[in-house]
Amino acid sequence: MSTLFVDTVEPEGATTVLTLGSATDTIKIPGGGAGAGKVLTSDADGDATWSAGSTDTGGWEMVSRTQVGGVNLANIDFTGMVAGYQYMYSWNGIASSNVGAEDFAMQVSTDAGASYLSSGYLSVCRQYYNTLSSNVFGSTSYFPFSENQQNSSIANGNNGFVNLFNIGDAALQCFMSGTNTQKADVTNPLRTNSYGGLMSAAGNVTAVRFYFTTGNILASTTAYITQYKQKIT
């Protein structure tokens, strides 16, 4: 192993690029309190020491965001979900191109998104109106977040979130809960939905799909769905 000593005084305004080794070489800096898992941290003067790396505090971490964009989408999928995390999805302005009696919904996958389950859902969704009336509905084919898009404002779409539990664990049933709000018709300009559900059987859920039960997700440059995760083990 070679030892490199550098003691260079540069003229004012000059810049030096120091290259150590090649792309396949290992660079070793044993001084400054080196240790497993530590990161090299500089102070204001450029003096560096090894310090403890960041640890997961259990806070929410943004994983990815899908914007609908300028064309209608049949669905928005998120894959790569793993055990040891709780997941949350939030959405803004998700509207239907069909504007019929369809539901805004989610299905889950136990084969990494190769296919999505169309049965085995136990769900309930209560829809509240600003007139203080309400109705309740559910499905065994998907998790519903809102219904009857015909009576909704296309421009504003659905705005809400859902939390998913027991992800990536074949021995446990996947649970979900959340809320959604949308602008509706003249009679009921506000609709707010609260929902919960679970899969009737245990399964290794690793992907989810958001869609409308008929029609597509309406094109919009301000509509998106964001995926977050929180470490729990």
Side-chain angles (χ1 to χ4, degrees), residues 88-155:
M88 177 174 68
Y89 296 87
S90 66
W91 50 86
N92 177 79
I94 301 298
S96 169
S97 65
N98 195 50
V99 196
E102 68 275 10
D103 295 348
F104 176 44
M106 180 183 73
Q107 290 181 326
V108 302
S109 170
T110 56
D111 56 11
S115 63
Y116 289 84
L117 300 177
S118 58
S119 63
Y121 297 83
L122 302 177
S123 65
V124 61
C125 180
R126 178 166 286 279
Q127 186 160 263
Y128 299 90
Y129 303 91
N130 61 285
T131 55
L132 303 185
S133 61
S134 66
N135 67 291
V136 63
F137 57 96
S139 175
T140 58
S141 301
Y142 49 83
F143 288 137
F145 301 140
S146 69
E147 67 167 355
N148 196 9
Q149 305 301 305
Q150 183 174 354
N151 291 334
S152 301
S153 166
I154 299 175

Side-chain angles (χ1 to χ4, degrees), residues 12-123:
E12 184 177 355
T15 300
T16 295
V17 177
L18 177 62
T19 301
L20 302 177
S22 66
T24 59
D25 292 332
T26 299
I27 299 175
K28 184 175 183 179
I29 306 176
K38 291 187 175 182
V39 295
L40 195 62
T41 305
S42 171
D43 63 15
D45 297 321
D47 297 323
T49 56
W50 292 103
S51 59
S54 60
T55 57
D56 197 318
T57 60
W60 286 103
E61 170 191 350
M62 178 178 165
V63 180
S64 64
R65 172 173 292 157
T66 298
Q67 185 184 56
V68 177
V71 297
N72 294 350
L73 300 178
N75 47 262
I76 295 177
D77 298 348
F78 293 89
T79 60
M81 301 163 68
V82 296
Y85 289 88
Q86 171 183 325
Y87 285 81
M88 177 174 68
Y89 296 87
S90 66
W91 50 86
N92 177 79
I94 301 298
S96 169
S97 65
N98 195 50
V99 196
E102 68 275 10
D103 295 348
F104 176 44
M106 180 183 73
Q107 290 181 326
V108 302
S109 170
T110 56
D111 56 11
S115 63
Y116 289 84
L117 300 177
S118 58
S119 63
Y121 297 83
L122 302 177
S123 65

Side-chain angles (χ1 to χ4, degrees), residues 68 91-96 154-160 217-218 220 222-224:
V68 177
W91 50 86
N92 177 79
I94 301 298
S96 169
I154 299 175
N156 293 279
N158 291 273
N159 305 274
I217 298 173
L218 185 67
S220 171
T222 59
Y224 58 82

